Amino acid sequence: MAKALIGHLNSDLRDPRLAVENARLRNRVAELESLVLRLSEENDKLMSARAAEILTADQEMQPA
């Protein structure tokens, strides 16, 4: 039972290489999350601009 509990605990303190690797991975995940957010916002802007273009073109093509 003790081995299971020790294996379940955060092992960063026992191996400094794991702590460094975990910090690097956390930073990379944060970078990727911010990239996804930025691209999502850019995509939303492009989609609304395209929707506006389609609506404008549709109104121009309607018969008088």
Side-chain angles (χ1 to χ4, degrees):
M1 182 71 152
K3 284 184 182 180
L5 289 175
I6 289 174
H8 185 268
L9 295 175
N10 189 353
S11 62
D12 287 354
L13 299 176
R14 289 179 284 181
D15 190 357
R17 292 173 298 179
L18 280 177
V20 170
E21 181 68 12
N22 282 339
R24 186 187 69 79
L25 290 173
R26 282 188 192 103
N27 287 337
R28 182 64 178 145
V29 166
E31 289 173 7
L32 292 173
E33 287 174 339
S34 67
L35 176 64
V36 165
L37 181 62
R38 185 179 61 82
L39 291 174
S40 228
E41 290 170 352
E42 185 178 337
N43 188 49
D44 291 344
K45 288 177 188 174
L46 291 171
M47 290 294 287
S48 19
R50 182 63 181 141
E53 288 176 12
I54 290 172
L55 287 175
T56 304
D58 189 40
Q59 289 175 355
E60 290 173 359
M61 296 183 70
Q62 289 182 0

